[in-house]
Amino acid sequence: GAVVSQHPSWVICKSGTSVKIECRSLDFQATTMFWYRQFPKQSLMLMATSNEGSKATYEQGVEKDKFLINHASLTLSTLTVTSAHPEDSSFYICSARGRDGRNEQFFGPGTRLTVL
Amino acid sequence: GQQLNQSPQSMFIQEGEDVSMNCTSSSIFNTWLWYKQDPGEGPVLLIALYKAGELTSNGRLTAQFGITRKDSFLNISASIPSDVGIYFCAGPVNSGGSNYKLTFGKGTLLTVNP
């Protein structure tokens, strides 16, 4: 149980294009999903928290118009990197928190974004 | 904000040796989580701790929730090559109302020499 998938696993795009990353909870319903960014040899950096049916809460310094988050259902959240630039290249990981009231988060396998 | 201090930053050990790593905080946590991350993958939850003093095992892994609620350790016994990876401790912090987010330690990079 508690499986989270991400798609795509990797993507290469040209500068100026937009990229959408999907995060799905496969065997449970996730009221809350999180999006992280991770640079090489560093810990995870929380970008935003999304609650199903409401607007995402962004961490300080994260541009909400740059990183669009939609959590339209209890099993799907999407992150769209708009007008991507090389500095947006990173490893993006989502996680999901279930409804059992505990604070465990279950992570997806990550998406490697490379912007040329 | 609440910070987690994780140590050691890295470890190089021989296969078969035992490993210990820990996390400390200046603030109290009501949950401690330990994750392992393989290269190019997302973190995988290893052990979750919910009560002060709790000692929980998962195979060769054992983790304890410190009595002061400000620390936790993870032990790996009889290490094997597939234990290689980055281990993170994490704890929930309130992000407003009844919402929580995780704060992570900086990770312990474990290398196991066969």
Side-chain angles (χ1 to χ4, degrees):
Chain A
V3 179
V4 177
S5 70
Q6 265 183 258
H7 178 80
S9 56
W10 60 270
V11 57
I12 301 173
C13 69
K14 292 182 179 180
S15 185
T17 61
S18 294
V19 174
K20 179 186 282 187
I21 303 170
E22 292 186 348
C23 178
R24 293 181 186 273
S25 56
L26 298 184
D27 52 1
F28 68 106
Q29 293 183 323
T31 55
T32 306
M33 289 184 168
F34 303 85
W35 287 96
Y36 294 84
R37 186 173 179 176
Q38 187 178 34
F39 292 104
K41 298 186 180 180
Q42 292 191 19
S43 189
L44 289 80
M45 182 188 79
L46 180 65
M47 299 173 66
T49 301
S50 72
N51 294 299
E52 183 264 337
S54 62
K55 290 184 179 180
T57 303
Y58 290 82
E59 295 297 299
Q60 191 172 9
V62 178
E63 299 175 57
K64 62 180 181 180
D65 295 328
K66 171 93 176 152
F67 299 98
L68 301 178
I69 292 172
N70 183 275
H71 191 161
S73 77
L74 286 171
T75 60
L76 173 64
S77 175
T78 60
L79 168 68
T80 301
V81 182
T82 63
S83 187
H85 291 283
E87 58 265 29
D88 298 324
S89 299
S90 189
F91 192 51
Y92 292 87
I93 314 173
C94 71
S95 71
R97 176 172 171 249
R99 283 187 165 185
D100 61 2
R102 294 182 170 181
N103 288 305
E104 300 165 2
Q105 289 181 23
F106 302 96
F107 287 84
T111 297
R112 172 73 57 192
L113 171 63
T114 302
V115 185
L116 302 177
Chain B
Q2 291 172 284
Q3 303 271 339
L4 293 182
N5 301 307
Q6 186 171 350
S7 65
Q9 186 175 1
S10 62
M11 302 182 74
F12 298 83
I13 62 171
Q14 291 297 126
E15 182 176 0
E17 290 182 351
D18 297 341
V19 171
S20 184
M21 58 192 79
N22 69 85
C23 268
T24 61
S25 173
S26 58
S27 304
I28 290 174
F29 281 86
N30 56 24
T31 301
W32 282 93
L33 306 171
W34 284 94
Y35 289 89
K36 182 193 177 196
Q37 186 177 25
D38 291 330
E41 299 287 334
V44 173
L45 181 63
L46 298 174
I47 294 179
L49 302 163
Y50 302 103
K51 294 181 182 179
E54 179 181 356
L55 183 71
T56 298
S57 293
N58 178 6
R60 293 178 295 105
L61 277 62
T62 302
Q64 184 158 31
F65 192 146
I67 295 216
T68 65
R69 296 167 62 190
K70 293 182 178 181
D71 64 313
S72 176
F73 71 74
L74 174 70
N75 287 343
I76 305 173
S77 62
S79 60
I80 59 179
S82 62
D83 290 333
V84 165
I86 302 177
Y87 292 79
F88 292 101
C89 61
V93 296
N94 188 266
S95 57
S98 59
N99 298 314
Y100 286 83
K101 59 183 179 182
L102 290 182
T103 185
F104 287 83
K106 292 188 176 182
T108 296
L109 173 61
L110 177 63
T111 302
V112 180
N113 296 317

